[in-house]
Amino acid sequence: MANDFPPPSRVPHAPAPESDAPHHKPLFDKILIANRGEIACRVIRTARKLGIKTVAVYSEADRDAMHVQMADEAYLIGPAASAESYLRMDKIIDVAKRSGAQGIHPGYGFLSENAQFAETVASAGLTFIGPPAQAIIDMGSKSASKEIMIQANVPVVPGYHGDEQGVQFLKEQANAMGYPVLIKAVKGGGGKGMRIVTKAEEFEEMLESSRREAIKSFGDDKVLVEKYIVRPRHVEVQVFADTLGNAVYLFERDCSVQRRHQKVLEEAPGPGISPELRRDLGKKAVAAAKAVNYVGAGTVEFILDTDTNQFYFMEMNTRLQVEHPVTEMVTNTDLVHWQLEVASGNRLPRLQQELELDGHAFEARIYAENPSNNFLPDTGPLRHLSFPPASETVRIETGVRQGDAVSVHYDPMISKLVVKGTDRTAALRVLRKALGEFEVVGLNTNIDFLKRLASHKSFISGDVDTGFIKRFEADLFPPVPVAPPVVLAQAALSVVAADSVTSALLGTEPWASMTLAGFRLNSASSRVVNLKDGDKDVSVTVTFAGANSFDLSVKSADGQTTVFPAVQLVSVNGNQLVADIGDRRVTGNCVRDEDNLYVYFEGSRTELKLAPLPGAVGRKSAAEKAGSVTTPMPCKISAVNVKAGDAVAKGQILVVLEAMKMEHVIKSPKDGVIKKVHYKVGDIVPEGKSLVSIVEEEAAEAGASA
């Protein structure tokens, strides 16, 4: 069982043993984790270290999930849909009582910031390992929290946070502020229900979209409207408070690099933050926590204006953040342990004067998504998954293993890569190396994008803001480079080696007198391996030249031919191929997934395709035929705005999709008439399926008259 798990994360430094603290109250014997995925696994690891038994809950889709296998006990609580499983308070409380758990850790997401859940847990005689319900209520409303912050002398962004929610009234407020403005769901988080409006003509459409997403995510479509700061940084402060009146800040994190208003890469401390600004941020964050009598782990988020260095309260997340490991790395703490201590009634393990920064840390979120297609999420099986080795400076947080699947029902994050260095430059060096050691096959990921991001000169200099990705779009999304000849050579050798071993097992004879992996094979002495590099044909002629020796002639996508004589195939071990090419020994991983071939070599990933068989070229699926609007990813249909016979204009909204808890709008690519709508609201639709069929208006009229 242990071999199924990824490399163990670096264990953060823990507070002093319980016996060392005077009047220390005992920790829990057993806790339930009301969550899934990597955060559930993260909590289990700390609990296991402390000798605390854990209880997992799971949906039908998560029956074989890692958190289920890691926990001491696990209970099924419903179907895949979150609303019928991970959001069912009654089922979670019932499992806690039946299992004898004394406390419930909510993780992040799901019920973690639900005040009713916190109250229900307490009413059941259990401990909610999080803040008091009233603090969640006070900070859960963006408008109410801003009023509280004003009273506590914490600066806030100018805007409208009131109860009047009429469309025209809100538009008038936006017009008075001046564009751009930001519409936010009052109970929002994670970028959901958030829209930037750049001109008055867009306001009503953006408001409607924000409200739709808000009602689905939070059950409340109330919004606020704020002035949008053009070059903001997203700087947040980790705070912690106990029940004895102590509150501290564990310094700041910069989370400015975002896509779709969601964080991609976080770091601590923030680049360019002076000691004076750091203290001011920390003190204001603690003031915010004390203003709502906060207890436990929380994060106070600020917008920092890069032009003035003025900062403004944005919101407080009343839970442990996804990016908490970067804080742990630079403060040498275990914040889950801190949560358990505080929830048990103990003093904070360290007070403010005992906290100091140690080095620099980054967290890169590894997502199943396609950065080249507007970061749309992807789903599917993890056919191949290999992590960088864990160490004192490299930490892996994940809830999946090779063979698991990323589901349409939940967040598409595969893993968090957390690294540390003595300073920012050193930490970036560790980050780039570790990203180059990540291998994922089976779905699209953002790994290559993260590599480019971590290597960009402006990011290296610390010149970051929330518009970073848009500002450097051309640099971060360059044309895919031509595969180097040495990579094509490895790809061809891997194909030949795999086919040779298979042929030996089947008794066929593709090679003459070749000894490989213990098999002696007999037949022709030359073979052409045809591949696709992007849309270009490439080929490698492999000529057998003796025992495990080959002459290779590589024709690359740029039309150049490279000859590698007397290549020695040293070994093939699973996906790893070792060969002597010229005076250089090369080691790469070649992973085949049906007709796709992925070569991992020197920190880079090259995707190739085996050339299609004759007769397969030129075929189109029904979803690719003209006049069809298709799903860009697996999704659920949230709204259908048209019906058969409707005339539509180019750019008109046809269908609204929901995937990975985010809303995506599908617009008409042309003027025409709807011939057929293929799905209805609530349907789960795979990627690449036709949603609606559109015909030219003349064709529709001709069909009607016929």
Side-chain angles (χ1 to χ4, degrees):
M1 183 77 67
N3 293 333
D4 292 336
F5 300 139
S9 301
R10 172 188 178 273
V11 178
H13 290 269
E18 297 175 30
S19 58
D20 291 353
H23 313 298
H24 187 278
K25 296 179 181 178
L27 301 183
F28 306 96
D29 294 317
K30 183 187 287 188
I31 62 172
L32 180 146
I33 302 157
N35 217 296
R36 65 177 301 280
E38 66 87 14
I39 185 58
C41 296
R42 162 74 187 90
V43 175
I44 290 170
R45 289 190 182 100
T46 287
R48 183 181 289 171
K49 180 183 66 177
L50 297 171
I52 298 172
K53 293 180 180 179
T54 53
V55 179
V57 292
Y58 62 94
S59 70
E60 291 173 357
D62 279 339
R63 188 178 297 274
D64 298 316
M66 182 190 292
H67 77 281
V68 175
Q69 295 192 22
M70 286 182 67
D72 295 293
E73 303 173 36
Y75 295 79
L76 175 66
I77 54 171
S82 301
E84 300 179 60
S85 52
Y86 295 108
L87 294 176
R88 285 289 301 269
M89 303 183 202
D90 56 337
K91 292 185 176 182
I92 292 170
I93 298 293
D94 177 62
V95 169
K97 288 181 174 180
R98 287 163 50 202
S99 65
Q102 300 156 306
I104 296 181
H105 194 300
Y108 54 72
F110 294 132
L111 295 169
S112 62
E113 294 182 278
N114 188 306
Q116 182 185 349
F117 182 57
E119 289 176 339
T120 303
V121 170
S123 298
L126 305 168
T127 299
F128 181 69
I129 304 173
Q134 190 57 50
I136 298 175
I137 292 169
D138 290 341
M139 287 302 191
S141 167
K142 284 183 168 59
S143 54
S145 65
K146 283 180 167 56
E147 293 302 321
I148 294 171
M149 292 304 101
I150 291 170
Q151 295 299 317
N153 294 317
V154 178
V156 300
V157 178
Y160 175 72
H161 312 125
D163 293 328
E164 173 58 51
Q165 293 288 297
V167 174
Q168 287 307 312
F169 178 82
L170 291 174
K171 189 172 183 179
E172 288 169 7
Q173 300 300 310
N175 292 341
M177 288 175 220
Y179 294 89
V181 299
L182 189 64
I183 301 173
K184 288 184 186 178
V186 166
K187 293 187 176 178
K192 298 177 183 66
M194 185 184 294
R195 298 291 184 272
I196 298 170
V197 187
T198 58
K199 53 188 178 182
E201 292 78 10
E202 299 175 344
F203 186 86
E204 292 181 31
E205 179 184 337
M206 292 294 190
L207 175 62
E208 182 181 353
S209 178
S210 171
R211 283 176 163 168
R212 270 200 310 269
E213 198 166 270
I215 199 73
K216 289 172 189 169
S217 299
F218 315 111
D220 190 333
D221 65 357
K222 187 177 178 182
V223 301
L224 56 83
V225 183
E226 292 181 336
K227 180 65 180 172
Y228 181 68
I229 297 172
V230 176
R231 275 207 65 195
R233 283 174 64 179
H234 182 133
V235 178
E236 61 187 34
V237 178
Q238 177 72 60
V239 294
F240 232 106
D242 60 27
T243 57
L244 307 176
N246 300 300
V248 300
Y249 62 90
L250 290 92
F251 311 107
E252 80 284 352
R253 300 184 287 256
D254 191 295
C255 308
S256 298
V257 180
Q258 304 178 5
R259 89 282 186 265
R260 292 189 280 113
H261 305 300
Q262 291 186 310
K263 302 161 189 174
V264 176
L265 199 152
E266 303 96 351
E267 60 180 299
I273 301 292
S274 68
E276 295 77 19
L277 180 56
R278 177 168 295 121
R279 280 194 297 271
D280 199 12
L281 283 163
K283 288 180 179 179
K284 289 293 193 295
V286 169
K290 287 186 173 180
V292 293
N293 299 312
Y294 200 79
V295 173
T299 297
V300 182
E301 301 191 350
F302 295 101
I303 295 174
L304 177 67
D305 191 326
T306 56
D307 296 324
T308 65
N309 254 7
Q310 293 293 312
F311 62 88
Y312 307 94
F313 173 83
M314 185 164 54
E315 63 183 357
M316 183 175 186
N317 290 305
T318 54
R319 54 173 166 78
L320 197 65
Q321 290 279 84
V322 176
E323 59 273 19
H324 76 273
V326 289
T327 294
E328 293 181 325
M329 292 289 256
V330 297
T331 57
N332 297 312
T333 55
D334 180 340
L335 297 185
V336 174
H337 189 162
W338 279 43
Q339 286 185 298
L340 296 169
E341 292 283 357
V342 168
S344 299
N346 294 314
R347 198 205 77 173
L348 290 174
R350 295 187 205 168
L351 299 181
Q352 195 65 58
Q353 65 273 19
E354 299 172 288
L355 290 165
E356 59 182 18
L357 285 168
D358 175 26
H360 202 99
F362 286 94
E363 176 181 282
R365 303 189 189 190
I366 311 299
Y367 280 107
E369 64 184 14
N370 187 350
S372 299
N373 190 16
N374 198 30
F375 294 94
L376 286 178
D378 200 4
T379 62
L382 292 160
R383 300 190 189 279
H384 172 75
L385 180 61
S386 179
F387 299 96
S391 68
E392 285 296 306
T393 58
V394 176
R395 174 174 166 183
I396 306 296
E397 296 289 348
T398 188
V400 294
R401 302 142 300 184
Q402 183 169 301
D404 288 346
V406 176
S407 164
V408 68
H409 299 288
Y410 310 117
D411 188 88
M413 189 165 64
I414 297 169
S415 174
K416 299 185 309 196
L417 169 64
V418 192
V419 302
K420 181 179 181 179
T422 53
D423 54 28
R424 192 171 188 270
T425 300
L428 265 176
R429 185 170 60 247
V430 178
L431 175 65
R432 288 191 291 266
K433 181 176 185 296
L435 284 169
E437 295 170 337
F438 243 105
E439 298 179 9
V440 182
V441 170
L443 32 65
N444 292 300
T445 76
N446 63 339
I447 294 172
D448 286 341
F449 170 79
L450 289 169
K451 293 177 191 175
R452 294 191 292 270
L453 177 60
S455 301
H456 195 279
K457 61 182 181 180
S458 291
F459 186 79
I460 292 171
S461 71
D463 180 20
V464 295
D465 59 62
T466 58
F468 188 94
I469 293 176
K470 185 68 175 176
R471 184 154 49 105
F472 296 109
E473 191 169 15
D475 298 336
L476 297 173
F477 298 94
V480 178
V482 170
V486 69
V487 168
L488 295 175
Q490 292 176 77
L493 286 173
S494 74
V495 170
V496 168
D499 289 352
S500 299
V501 172
T502 301
S503 298
L505 292 170
L506 296 177
T508 55
E509 303 176 341
W511 290 96
S513 303
M514 174 182 168
T515 302
L516 179 67
F519 297 106
R520 181 171 296 279
L521 311 161
N522 301 286
S523 189
S525 60
S526 185
R527 173 180 172 181
V528 178
V529 177
N530 293 306
L531 302 164
K532 282 274 190 183
D533 181 9
D535 59 355
K536 301 288 187 182
D537 291 322
V538 298
S539 64
V540 182
T541 301
V542 184
T543 303
F544 181 60
N548 292 340
S549 180
F550 305 88
D551 295 328
L552 305 183
S553 178
V554 179
K555 184 179 179 181
S556 304
D558 57 7
Q560 299 295 311
T561 298
T562 305
V563 175
F564 295 117
V567 172
Q568 293 293 315
L569 187 56
V570 178
S571 67
V572 179
N573 183 13
N575 295 316
Q576 187 184 76
L577 182 145
V578 181
D580 290 336
I581 300 180
D583 60 355
R584 182 183 181 192
R585 174 156 293 188
V586 299
T587 301
N589 282 349
C590 302
V591 183
R592 187 165 171 176
D593 180 22
E594 297 180 345
D595 290 336
N596 297 311
L597 184 62
Y598 303 87
V599 181
Y600 292 91
F601 177 61
E602 293 187 334
S604 295
R605 172 183 184 267
T606 302
E607 180 179 352
L608 304 165
K609 281 187 177 293
L610 297 175
L613 297 172
V617 179
R619 294 176 185 167
K620 283 187 176 181
S621 68
E624 296 174 310
K625 293 177 182 176
S628 174
V629 178
T630 62
T631 50
M633 77 215 104
C635 58
K636 180 179 179 181
I637 307 297
S638 294
V640 177
N641 295 346
V642 292
K643 62 182 183 300
D646 285 356
V648 294
K650 182 178 180 179
Q652 181 177 335
I653 296 175
L654 305 176
V655 182
V656 180
L657 313 177
E658 181 184 348
M660 310 298 186
K661 301 183 285 186
M662 296 292 288
E663 184 179 275
H664 306 271
V665 173
I666 302 298
K667 297 181 179 180
S668 178
K670 61 181 181 180
D671 296 341
V673 176
I674 302 297
K675 182 179 180 181
K676 185 176 181 180
V677 177
H678 299 284
Y679 295 96
K680 64 183 184 301
V681 173
D683 284 351
I684 303 294
V685 187
E687 180 180 357
K689 294 296 184 181
S690 177
L691 291 168
V692 298
S693 298
I694 306 172
V695 296
E696 303 290 342
E697 193 163 358
E698 294 81 2
E701 291 173 355
S705 61

